[in-house]
Amino acid sequence: MPLMNWTDKLTVGVTVLDNDHKKLVAMVNQLFDGIQSGHGKESVGKILDGLIAYTKVHFGNEERYFAQTGYPAAPAHKQEHDELTRQVVSVQQKYRAGTTNVLSLEVLNFLKNWLVKHIQGSDQKYGPYLNAKGIR
């Protein structure tokens, strides 16, 4: 059973960004599955690395649209991106350093809750704005 399910409540109305979000949900589920099935630290570490790398790509995609359209809430939105990036990179560093040998369900739930809250909150706000600027 997946940790997260994609629902229409997560749709922001911008195809590229919705596809990014779907991929992030799938990657969180892949990380969850890897941990649940007892995959080794190296395997789980690679999944975590991929999730973090793709999150940065996605944030870059959003921020390019913001710059292109002059989205007024861009600075605050970018601040949210920067904070999550700092938090997940810290988890990644601890995992790589062996400070923690397992990624806890608490960490996964944090990622899931942050992603859902961010998409349903901040991201939902830019959808209509970007659509009005011709980005769908």
Side-chain angles (χ1 to χ4, degrees), residues 1-110:
M1 185 162 115
L3 180 67
M4 296 183 71
N5 290 305
W6 179 263
T7 69
D8 287 342
K9 290 180 182 180
L10 298 174
T11 300
V12 297
V14 177
T15 302
V16 170
L17 301 178
D18 282 335
N19 288 340
D20 281 356
H21 290 151
K22 288 176 185 176
K23 184 167 182 171
L24 288 169
V25 166
M27 293 177 89
V28 167
N29 285 330
Q30 184 182 13
L31 185 59
F32 176 71
D33 290 345
I35 292 166
Q36 291 290 94
S37 61
H39 284 125
K41 181 177 178 179
E42 186 176 313
S43 175
V44 171
K46 286 180 183 178
I47 297 168
L48 178 62
D49 292 348
L51 175 62
I52 291 169
Y54 194 75
T55 299
K56 290 177 183 178
V57 167
H58 168 65
F59 288 167
N61 289 340
E62 284 186 354
E63 291 165 13
R64 272 189 295 287
Y65 281 130
F66 298 165
Q68 177 184 332
T69 62
Y71 182 55
H77 201 105
K78 183 176 183 334
Q79 197 169 13
E80 288 182 36
H81 289 171
D82 292 346
E83 180 57 28
L84 177 70
T85 300
R86 274 191 294 278
Q87 290 173 320
V88 296
V89 166
S90 173
V91 168
Q92 179 188 40
Q93 289 170 341
K94 288 176 187 171
Y95 192 72
R96 282 183 179 166
T99 305
T100 178
N101 289 328
V102 294
L103 289 174
S104 68
L105 200 51
E106 183 180 324
V107 170
L108 283 172
N109 278 322
F110 162 75

Side-chain angles (χ1 to χ4, degrees), residues 119-133:
I119 293 171
Q120 290 181 332
S122 302
D123 286 0
Q124 289 291 327
K125 294 174 185 171
Y126 70 59
Y129 180 87
L130 295 180
N131 289 168
K133 298 289 186 177

